[in-house]
């Protein structure tokens, strides 16, 4: 059985549909089987709902139903908050992992007789950025999904706080990139094309090698980079980032250092940043008559295994 929904505003990595609507259905049949830590796991996960994330609307919670099932099946206590992310809310003794999932900027349209511009503002206050940084430094975990929302990201102040460089737009490399027209499409990442860094600690320290993914489906997203050893999912050499401008053309920058997912230690805590906010969601999109799984239930990938290893590494369960 599948539930039909209509998404008025697409906030994943599908900019061709960002201003319109698309029919989608929620996959309810995929069920990832794994060895659970439920009997020994006492860690707590806090999900942000108050900063224009995908969970600010209840429909967003439904679209990540398998992600939440895996979280609870592995024994994590799952809580949501719409409160300001202060030091009181982010207490490492009460929360082991904070998830910020898809944080677009808050844009303000400015107009005068000569020009129209958009002023991009983060939904996060400086106090919250500082609180999150201190929370991680003192031992907490942070899983941050960026919005593929060309023109700015609401998480930019947080990225800068963790010394992460950010390029908005669409990551594209014609040798490995699949697209039905336009610059936005997807990558299938694996060991053969070296886009998955199996030397990263989330795979090296795993307590269940059967959960290590072989293929990862990654839909076009922005690019981040920090240190080479931080890379979990790396875009191929000579990837071009296309960033839209108000002048109806894209600025282009080529790099062999772009990543779609990075993970690193910060003080006593750990951070993972992913630029594809649909990577663990349970949606089938219908685009030009084609059904596209986004993405945890994609039959040609093992994104669920990546999720499991991500959660366990961030919460120091492995």
């Amino acid at each position: 059985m599948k539930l039909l929904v209509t998404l008025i505003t697409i906030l994943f990595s599908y900019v061709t549909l960002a201003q319109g609507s698309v029919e989608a259905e929620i996959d309810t049949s995929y069920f990832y089987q794994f060895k659970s830590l439920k009997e020994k796991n006492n860690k707590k996960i806090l999900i942000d709902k108050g900063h224009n994330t995908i969970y600010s609307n209840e429909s967003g919670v439904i679209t990540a139903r398998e992600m939440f099932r895996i979280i609870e099946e592995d024994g994590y206590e799952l809580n949501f908050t719409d409160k300001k992310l202060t030091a009181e809310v982010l207490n490492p003794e009460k929360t082991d992992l904070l998830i910020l999932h898809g944080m677009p900027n808050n844009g303000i349209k400015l107009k005068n007789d000569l020009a129209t511009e958009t002023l991009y503002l983060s939904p996060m206050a400086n106090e919250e950025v500082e609180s999150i940084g201190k929370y991680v430094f003192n031992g907490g975990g942070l899983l941050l999904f960026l919005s593929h929302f060309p023109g700015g990201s609401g998480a930019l102040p947080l990225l800068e706080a963790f010394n992460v460089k950010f390029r908005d737009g669409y990551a594209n490399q014609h040798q490995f990139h699949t697209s039905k027209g336009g610059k936005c499409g997807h990558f299938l990442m694996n060991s053969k094309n070296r886009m998955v860094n199996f030397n990263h600690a989330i795979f090296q320290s795993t307590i269940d090698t059967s959960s290590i993914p072989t293929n990862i489906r990654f839909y076009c997203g922005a690019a981040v980079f920090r240190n080479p050893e931080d890379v979990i999912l790396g875009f191929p050499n000579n990837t071009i980032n296309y960033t839209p401008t108000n002048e109806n053309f894209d600025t282009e920058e080529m790099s062999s250092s772009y990543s779609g997912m990075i993970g690193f230690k910060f003080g006593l805590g750990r951070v993972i940043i992913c630029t594809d906010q649909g990577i663990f969601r349970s949606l089938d999109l219908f685009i030009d008559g084609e059904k596209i799984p986004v993405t945890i239930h994609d039959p040609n990938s093992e994104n669920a295994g990546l999720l499991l290893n991500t959660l366990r590494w961030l919460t120091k369960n492995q």
Side-chain angles (χ1 to χ4, degrees), residues 90-255:
L90 298 177
N91 184 338
E93 295 182 1
K94 297 179 180 178
T95 298
D96 298 283
L97 174 62
L98 170 67
I99 296 181
L100 299 171
H101 200 155
M103 186 180 292
N105 57 72
N106 292 341
I108 299 176
K109 291 288 185 182
L110 302 177
K111 294 183 180 181
N112 58 31
D113 294 337
L114 300 176
T116 299
E117 296 285 356
T118 302
L119 180 65
Y120 291 112
L121 304 174
S122 171
M124 303 193 72
N126 289 339
E127 176 192 357
E128 293 178 293
V129 173
E130 182 178 348
S131 295
I132 293 171
K134 289 180 177 179
Y135 159 76
V136 174
F137 184 80
N138 290 323
L142 171 65
L143 178 54
L144 171 63
F145 298 89
L146 303 183
S147 293
H148 186 71
F149 198 92
S153 170
L156 185 56
L158 197 54
L159 296 177
E160 292 177 340
F162 288 112
N163 198 28
V164 175
K165 306 303 179 187
F166 169 70
R167 295 293 182 270
D168 207 351
Y170 329 124
N172 185 294
Q173 214 276 14
H174 69 280
Q175 289 180 286
F176 301 98
H177 187 265
T178 302
S179 173
K180 287 195 173 261
K183 301 180 180 74
C184 187
H186 62 83
F187 297 90
L188 183 63
M189 299 176 164
N190 49 49
S191 59
K192 292 181 180 178
N193 56 35
R194 299 182 180 179
M195 286 190 235
V196 182
N197 177 19
F198 290 104
N199 291 321
H200 193 279
I202 72 166
F203 303 123
Q204 290 294 309
S205 62
T206 184
I207 58 177
D208 180 10
T209 55
S210 66
S211 68
I212 297 177
T214 303
N215 293 293
I216 298 296
R217 183 71 70 187
F218 193 96
Y219 279 89
C220 126
V224 289
F225 48 102
R226 194 171 179 267
N227 297 319
E229 62 270 23
D230 300 335
V231 176
I232 298 173
L233 302 179
F235 292 125
N237 290 341
N238 303 318
T239 291
I240 299 175
N241 177 263
Y242 295 92
T243 302
T245 70
N246 289 334
E247 285 75 31
N248 295 319
F249 67 88
D250 296 335
T251 60
E252 300 180 18
E253 180 184 76
M254 180 183 290
S255 175

Side-chain angles (χ1 to χ4, degrees), residues 20 37 60 133 142 152 185 217 252 260-261 271 280-281 283 306 311:
L37 300 180
L142 171 65
R217 183 71 70 187
E252 300 180 18
M261 189 174 189
V271 178
F280 301 134
R281 298 179 80 181
L283 280 173
L306 176 64
L311 296 171

